[in-house]
Amino acid sequence: MEVSAETLKTLSDWFLLSLSPVAEPRRAAESSLYDAANQPGFALAVLRLVSEPAADEQIRLAAAVHFKNHLRARWPSSSPSPIPDAEKTVIKDRIVALMLSSALRIRNQLSESLSIISSHDFPLSWPSLLPELVSSLRSETDYTKINGLLGAANSIFSKFRHSFDTTALRIDLKYCLDGFAAPLLEIFLKTSQIISGGTASGSLSADALRPLFESQRLCCEIFYSLNSIELPEFFEDHMREWMTEFLNYLTKAYPVAVENDGTVDSLRSAICENLQLYMEKNEEEFKDYLKDFAGAVWNLLLTPASSPSRDQLTITAIRFLTIVSTSIHHSLFGSPETLQRICHSIVFPNIRLRDDDEELFEMNYVEYIRRDIEGSDIDTRRRIACELLKGLAMNYKEQVMAFVSGQIQEMLAMYSANPVENWKEKDAAIYLVISLATKAGGGGLGTQFIDVLSFFTSVVVPEFQGRSGNECPILQASALKFFSVFREQVPKNVATALLPDVISILRANSNVVHSYAANCIEKLLLIRDRTPVIASVSNALTLQPRYGPSDINPHLAPLIRNLFDALGLPDSKENQYIMKCIMRVLSVADTGGDVARHCIGCLVTVLAEVCKNPINPIFNHYLFEAIAALIKRSCEKDPSLITVFETALFPVLESILRNDVTEFWPYAFQIFAQLVEMSRPPLSVNYMELFKVLLLPETWKRSANAPALVRLLQAYLQKVPSKELNSDGRLSQVLGIFNKLVSAPSTEELGFYVLNTVVENLGFDMIGQYIGHIWTALFTRLQSRPTVKFVNSLLVFMSLVLIKHGPVVLVESINAVQGNIFVAILQKFWIPNLKLISGSIEVKLTSVASTRLICESSSLLDISAAEVWGKMLDSTITLLVQPDQPGADIENEILDVPETTGYSASFARLHNAGKNEDDPVKEIRNPKEFLIKSLSRLSAHTPGRYTAIIEKFVDPVNQNALSQLCTSYGCAIV
């Protein structure tokens, strides 16, 4: 690693400046480092600086961090500017030794760097790594360095925990086991002897013991990784040695200093994870040790401790007991005394709130909510304790439910005796009922041990009525959560009566409480009830909203006011639960007049503020959904509001485009599309100016904007008069956009959206001169990449052309590209793919088009085309008689943005600004009936001809289906 002193000095200066709190020099240094990263030898120069003992440690640490990030970006050979192979070889030769000789913070960064390299190169391209690690591990006596080696090995082997089980992965695992399983046991037993001797004699201080326990914890982590796929032979042969030491650490007491600071509990937690792994995957081999471990873990949970790691130990220990409780060894907990002790000494104490829960509620409402109502509490004491309860109830249901019911009554009695002091008891009771809820008939939630409605009325409702949300906020939040969870079980009249109280709680000072109130209202508006469909052919059920405009309108003014006021409360300016509730209310309520004006004013104010610094993509998505919902609901009822919305929205939307707020461009285009569709022709000058910009090639350069731009273009094609489209080459520009979109696999479907809209809205007198170019572009693309998705889109487009302009235009325009190519396309693409079409409108369109082809097109009615005719009919029947696809749960119709959504992610569609899908064949109610009656009329002209073709070319199953359809519609094919 020969690097000049001048280079080291330059790098040192840059890294020092990169730590500067002043923006300008910091950015200049970062820019210099970015440029230098493209130069040969950069990685080696940075690594040389990391190893330079004379350099300031802060500079070395910054260099180590930069080195790690440089490897992450450039070590893969597929990266834009990969590190040269020669440099990679030098780095791999030096990194282990450098890691061991570095200070702790730098060592940690180099360990992560080693892990990054190994994820790509180990073991095939780095065969020297494992022998080097093992050699260093056996020769080292300094446990800080030993732990560095074990930490690196732990990172390398962790892939066996998470990767999909493949032959290649098992080959890598065998290599690691052959080289590392024995050394791992050696260092584990060696360290155990040192700990045992040192604690027995008292010769080791707490400072000396901590790295030893850390070493054992890392060994346990590696044990888990190497055993994750299956039980290796080496570990089965040496199971007693491992289990003996595991049991010692769970049962022995150690010096107070390492017990109280969590050092030992971290090791015990890792051991409990290994016990859980063996119970799940190696129960037969592990059964002889199970009784001792169950007792040890149980006693550990009953032993008081103040360790900061006790929470994690409690969680892993309870999870192990839960696995045992649901296994064939559940009888270990089967006696009434044992069950009672587990419930009262382990489960119920861990369900009560603690000081750190209250602190989280007050100081970090986002994390509290994430754990409490978004399901990320699986690794919390409260949740895991309830999971143990459920596990015990699987085999001892009556006994467990009796303990739970009694405990709930005891908690509520304690609360009643002193509500001020004992409010946590009531909170724990509510939490118990919620956590033990199970799916009931019809998809709702219920419990097996308590009457939900009675509990709600007597225990939960008092926390709403006449409350501001500030009296006992945690308890009120729990009550609101109960209401949300059991919302389907609460009768409509009861919920409606409570709505004013929940609306009032929106003004609560606590972020958690007003967020829960908003969440509760939003979830209520999602409820759908199953109601019978009145139809002669079906006894199906349909889902209907339980709460509609008539339920929400009487409360709309205070509800809207309190929701927008809540956005002004401290730390809730971008509260996604509040905005989601606003969006849902505006999607349901009748908003018009002054209410609509007030809402759009408030929403535009919020939007203008977030445009300055878009940092919360979830909040901002619901903000745009709310705007779209308001436009949709208000303007449909009162078109005069369109100008109000245009006046309010145009400045901020234009500002988004003008100031290049790229995160919001797709949303802005969708809102513009909605406004264009709502507007009455002729479109204003502002709209037409935007249309000119939309047609420019520069507008389409950012691929992330393409779906929203297509949505806007579709709106214009529906609204712009044909004369306007025909002038200044605009239609040619539109078709140029189609051609560009359809040529790329990622946007080809969008190209069809444009093309379909052109055909739907323009006469053949306008598109006729371009139709040959359109077919040529499509067939060229079809020849190069005939994917199912593309062929299906093409089939839908051809069907649309037929429906709009007739079979003659379709057949002749295609044959004009190449003589008689239409029949070939039918045979190779239309007939095989017809049965793959999905979507109710698409199925109807393509089936009707196919019916018209076989009943009206001279090219198919010719006797020479009998086979094609028969196979076309066969595919059409298959398409029409296939079962309907199950509809999505209506409660989830509106997109809920996942927390991982970011602005760099793929296009996020606005549900409320979606294009209304028109039925191109709305005059035909039933495509099955249309097929049968069309065939009946056709066969009446030439009796007997089509019967023979059907018998020869239509599948017998479809022949039977055709016969049944003829009977259903009173027609015959003669």
Side-chain angles (χ1 to χ4, degrees):
M1 290 192 293
E2 292 301 325
V3 181
S4 69
E6 183 181 353
T7 299
L8 288 178
K9 176 68 169 61
T10 302
L11 284 174
S12 296
D13 292 342
W14 286 344
F15 282 118
L16 182 62
L17 288 172
S18 73
L19 302 174
S20 172
V22 182
E24 187 174 344
R26 184 179 69 249
R27 288 173 183 162
E30 290 170 350
S31 177
S32 297
L33 287 167
Y34 179 82
D35 292 338
N38 295 312
Q39 301 301 314
F42 175 78
L44 293 178
V46 175
L47 193 59
R48 176 67 179 82
L49 177 61
V50 172
S51 66
E52 177 55 53
D56 182 86
E57 187 173 339
Q58 283 295 103
I59 293 175
R60 294 173 64 196
L61 178 60
V65 172
H66 192 90
F67 178 75
K68 175 189 68 179
N69 294 331
H70 183 76
L71 296 190
R72 182 176 286 118
R74 299 184 184 235
W75 194 273
S77 299
S78 58
S79 62
S81 301
I83 297 171
D85 289 342
E87 289 186 41
K88 287 183 177 181
T89 300
V90 175
I91 290 170
K92 288 188 288 189
D93 286 344
R94 306 292 177 83
I95 193 168
V96 173
L98 180 56
M99 180 185 74
L100 293 177
S101 64
S102 299
L104 180 60
R105 290 195 297 170
I106 295 173
R107 183 187 307 140
N108 290 338
Q109 296 300 321
L110 292 175
S111 178
E112 290 185 44
S113 299
L114 187 150
S115 178
I116 292 167
I117 300 171
S118 67
S119 68
H120 296 284
D121 288 14
F122 180 79
L124 289 179
S125 300
W126 199 359
S128 63
L129 174 60
L130 195 59
E132 185 176 4
L133 289 176
V134 170
S135 174
S136 299
L137 196 62
R138 283 175 166 156
S139 61
E140 269 295 345
T141 57
D142 181 348
Y143 266 86
T144 60
K145 295 182 178 181
I146 288 173
N147 290 346
L149 290 164
L150 290 173
N154 187 34
S155 297
I156 295 167
F157 299 147
S158 64
K159 71 175 184 178
F160 299 119
R161 297 184 178 212
H162 313 298
S163 300
F164 188 73
D165 186 5
T166 63
T167 302
L169 189 72
R170 284 178 176 260
I171 291 172
D172 288 354
L173 175 59
K174 184 179 186 306
Y175 173 81
C176 296
L177 287 167
D178 290 345
F180 205 81
L184 179 68
L185 181 58
E186 286 173 23
I187 190 66
F188 188 69
L189 294 177
K190 171 187 170 184
T191 309
S192 287
Q193 291 175 352
I194 297 172
I195 292 172
S196 179
T199 52
S201 64
S203 60
L204 290 176
S205 67
D207 288 340
L209 283 169
R210 288 187 185 101
L212 297 174
F213 280 113
E214 173 64 8
S215 175
Q216 299 301 70
R217 184 191 68 79
L218 289 168
C219 287
C220 288
E221 296 270 0
I222 295 170
F223 178 98
Y224 190 103
S225 296
L226 296 179
N227 282 269
S228 289
I229 294 178
E230 64 180 5
L231 178 61
E233 183 179 350
F234 179 88
F235 285 93
E236 185 174 4
D237 292 343
H238 295 272
M239 189 180 295
R240 183 161 299 281
E241 293 161 88
W242 282 102
M243 296 304 152
T244 299
E245 296 304 322
F246 285 172
L247 190 63
N248 283 338
Y249 288 121
L250 294 179
T251 53
K252 285 186 178 180
Y254 294 94
V256 174
V258 290
E259 286 280 7
N260 289 347
D261 68 5
T263 300
V264 185
D265 279 350
S266 293
L267 168 59
R268 290 167 177 156
S269 179
I271 290 171
C272 286
E273 288 184 347
N274 288 333
L275 301 181
Q276 180 187 343
L277 177 69
Y278 267 47
M279 268 302 297
E280 290 175 332
K281 296 201 169 187
N282 312 308
E283 186 175 344
E284 180 63 28
E285 294 84 356
F286 182 63
K287 65 183 180 182
D288 293 341
Y289 304 95
L290 179 57
K291 185 175 181 180
D292 288 340
F293 277 115
V297 172
W298 179 357
N299 288 328
L300 201 58
L301 287 167
L302 297 178
T303 305
S306 58
S307 158
S309 296
R310 184 51 62 126
D311 262 15
Q312 186 56 37
L313 173 59
T314 299
I315 291 164
T316 55
I318 292 178
R319 189 180 287 121
F320 167 67
L321 295 182
T322 303
I323 296 293
V324 177
S325 73
T326 58
S327 72
I328 59 173
H329 306 285
H330 59 79
S331 58
L332 288 171
F333 306 143
S335 71
E337 297 79 13
T338 302
L339 287 170
Q340 183 177 29
R341 195 172 182 199
I342 290 175
C343 289
H344 285 87
S345 300
I346 296 176
V347 175
F348 299 147
N350 280 297
I351 285 172
R352 289 183 174 85
L353 280 170
R354 295 193 312 186
D355 291 344
D356 55 345
D357 297 315
E358 293 184 71
E359 183 179 345
L360 190 67
F361 183 94
E362 294 291 340
M363 305 302 294
N364 190 349
Y365 85 95
V366 174
E367 177 62 17
Y368 185 93
I369 294 173
R370 190 180 70 83
R371 290 186 183 183
D372 196 41
I373 65 172
E374 293 186 357
S376 66
D377 64 338
I378 190 64
D379 286 329
T380 63
R381 293 174 304 99
R382 301 185 99 190
R383 174 71 176 274
I384 205 66
C386 287
E387 292 302 312
L388 175 57
L389 210 54
K390 290 178 183 178
L392 294 169
M394 286 180 62
N395 296 292
Y396 307 101
K397 179 179 172 182
E398 292 183 4
Q399 300 97 308
V400 170
M401 291 305 123
F403 292 140
V404 172
S405 298
Q407 182 65 27
I408 288 173
Q409 295 307 315
E410 182 181 329
M411 288 172 169
L412 294 177
M414 291 177 67
Y415 171 79
S416 298
N418 190 342
V420 175
E421 294 293 328
N422 296 333
W423 63 268
K424 290 183 182 180
E425 299 296 323
K426 183 174 182 178
D427 176 82
I430 294 173
Y431 186 89
L432 255 180
V433 177
I434 293 173
S435 298
L436 296 179
T438 55
K439 286 284 183 182
L445 289 173
T447 65
Q448 301 169 328
F449 60 91
I450 202 163
D451 183 321
V452 170
L453 186 56
S454 174
F455 186 89
F456 178 74
T457 304
S458 60
V459 177
V460 177
V461 168
E463 298 303 322
F464 302 141
Q465 293 179 322
R467 302 292 182 95
S468 66
N470 298 322
E471 291 83 356
C472 187
I474 294 184
L475 189 53
Q476 287 164 337
S478 295
L480 287 163
K481 179 185 176 184
F482 187 99
F483 193 0
S484 300
V485 169
F486 293 103
R487 58 189 178 276
E488 294 190 19
Q489 281 64 53
V490 178
K492 181 175 179 178
N493 62 317
V494 176
T496 305
L498 287 171
L499 195 55
D501 294 303
V502 180
I503 291 172
S504 176
I505 295 175
L506 285 169
R507 301 177 67 89
N509 294 330
S510 165
N511 300 92
V512 175
V513 174
H514 59 243
S515 298
Y516 277 30
N519 179 71
C520 182
I521 294 169
E522 192 265 332
K523 296 301 183 191
L524 282 175
L525 296 180
L526 281 174
I527 299 175
R528 302 294 191 266
D529 292 323
R530 298 181 183 276
T531 56
V533 178
I534 301 174
S536 57
V537 295
S538 173
N539 294 319
L541 297 176
T542 186
L543 295 173
Q544 296 293 332
R546 181 181 295 182
Y547 302 94
S550 60
D551 302 301
I552 205 76
N553 287 346
H555 311 286
L556 190 57
L559 175 54
I560 291 293
R561 182 179 62 250
N562 288 3
L563 282 168
F564 281 110
D565 285 350
L567 289 178
L569 294 169
D571 297 324
S572 274
K573 292 187 184 300
E574 296 189 24
N575 186 315
Q576 66 200 51
Y577 306 97
I578 299 291
M579 187 51 71
K580 189 176 183 182
C581 185
I582 291 172
M583 177 269 292
R584 199 75 72 194
V585 168
L586 295 179
S587 302
V588 173
D590 290 328
T591 49
D594 292 339
V595 173
R597 290 180 177 86
H598 173 70
C599 288
I600 196 62
C602 292
L603 291 170
V604 166
T605 300
V606 174
L607 177 55
E609 191 61 33
V610 298
C611 280
K612 297 174 184 176
N613 185 21
I615 57 174
N616 187 339
I618 302 173
F619 173 86
N620 294 332
H621 180 87
Y622 290 130
L623 169 59
F624 280 100
E625 282 283 12
I627 292 170
L630 183 62
I631 295 171
K632 181 178 180 181
R633 295 281 299 173
S634 301
C635 295
E636 285 177 353
K637 295 183 179 298
D638 184 1
S640 67
L641 286 170
I642 295 173
T643 55
V644 174
F645 291 145
E646 289 173 344
T647 302
L649 285 166
F650 261 53
V652 69
L653 294 178
E654 289 175 347
S655 173
I656 289 170
L657 301 182
R658 185 174 58 255
N659 296 325
D660 204 24
V661 187
T662 54
E663 300 92 337
F664 290 170
W665 275 33
Y667 292 125
F669 292 138
Q670 290 177 84
I671 298 297
F672 271 128
Q674 201 179 13
L675 291 171
V676 168
E677 286 181 342
M678 291 286 182
S679 297
R680 294 177 178 175
L683 294 177
S684 69
V685 174
N686 286 339
Y687 283 125
M688 293 310 296
E689 287 298 317
L690 179 61
F691 186 41
K692 290 179 184 177
V693 175
L694 178 62
L695 296 179
L696 296 174
E698 294 77 17
T699 307
W700 296 80
K701 285 184 176 178
R702 292 175 179 168
S703 59
N705 295 331
L709 289 170
V710 167
R711 170 77 183 89
L712 180 56
L713 182 56
Q714 287 178 297
Y716 273 110
L717 291 173
Q718 290 176 305
K719 288 291 183 177
V720 174
S722 300
K723 190 177 295 185
E724 292 275 353
L725 274 175
N726 230 355
S727 64
D728 299 327
R730 286 175 182 165
L731 182 54
S732 180
Q733 288 177 288
V734 169
L735 293 175
I737 291 168
F738 142 73
N739 203 31
K740 179 182 178 182
L741 292 171
V742 85
S743 64
S746 60
T747 56
E748 62 188 14
E749 196 170 27
L750 297 174
F752 278 106
Y753 291 165
V754 173
L755 204 52
N756 291 345
T757 310
V758 167
V759 172
E760 284 183 88
N761 292 280
L762 302 179
F764 197 73
D765 58 325
M766 282 189 64
I767 65 172
Q769 61 181 312
Y770 302 103
I771 195 69
H773 298 293
I774 292 172
W775 291 130
T776 299
L778 292 175
F779 296 155
T780 301
R781 167 65 181 82
L782 179 66
Q783 194 171 17
S784 63
R785 292 192 302 272
T787 61
V788 171
K789 182 179 177 182
F790 181 87
V791 174
N792 288 356
S793 296
L794 175 61
L795 206 162
V796 169
F797 172 67
M798 290 192 293
S799 299
L800 190 60
V801 172
L802 185 149
I803 294 300
K804 289 295 180 181
H805 305 299
V808 174
V809 168
L810 175 68
V811 176
E812 290 184 354
S813 64
I814 290 178
N815 282 337
V817 176
Q818 183 180 323
N820 298 319
I821 194 176
F822 180 73
V823 172
I825 287 174
L826 280 184
Q827 291 175 306
K828 190 171 181 180
F829 300 108
W830 192 312
I831 292 171
N833 279 68
L834 182 60
K835 63 191 77 172
L836 304 178
I837 298 295
S838 60
S840 57
I841 291 178
E842 289 81 357
V843 167
K844 184 181 179 185
L845 170 65
T846 52
S847 64
V848 170
S850 301
T851 298
R852 289 190 60 183
L853 267 178
I854 60 177
C855 293
E856 300 177 27
S857 174
S858 58
S859 60
L860 288 186
L861 292 174
D862 190 277
I863 191 65
S864 63
E867 182 177 354
V868 177
W869 189 97
K871 290 183 177 179
M872 186 78 161
L873 174 61
D874 184 63
S875 287
T876 305
I877 297 169
T878 301
L879 176 67
L880 287 173
V881 300
Q882 63 188 3
D884 292 335
Q885 295 176 347
D889 183 352
I890 293 183
E891 182 162 318
N892 294 321
E893 274 187 353
I894 294 181
L895 177 68
D896 281 351
V897 186
E899 282 196 21
T900 53
T901 294
Y903 295 121
S904 61
S906 59
F907 166 75
R909 182 177 70 92
L910 289 177
H911 174 90
N912 288 304
K915 181 178 180 292
N916 292 325
E917 296 299 331
D918 295 324
D919 182 358
V921 284
K922 48 182 169 289
E923 69 279 2
I924 297 171
R925 288 185 60 255
N926 188 332
K928 294 177 184 176
E929 183 179 11
F930 179 72
L931 171 66
I932 298 304
K933 290 188 174 180
S934 298
L935 289 173
S936 180
R937 286 193 297 270
L938 179 65
S939 65
H941 294 297
T942 52
R945 172 180 170 183
Y946 295 101
T947 303
I949 296 175
I950 291 169
E951 289 176 353
K952 186 173 182 181
F953 296 111
V954 176
D955 186 273
V957 174
N958 282 342
Q959 290 183 37
N960 185 49
L962 186 63
S963 176
Q964 292 176 0
L965 289 172
C966 287
T967 303
S968 299
Y969 298 113
C971 296
I973 300 174
V974 295

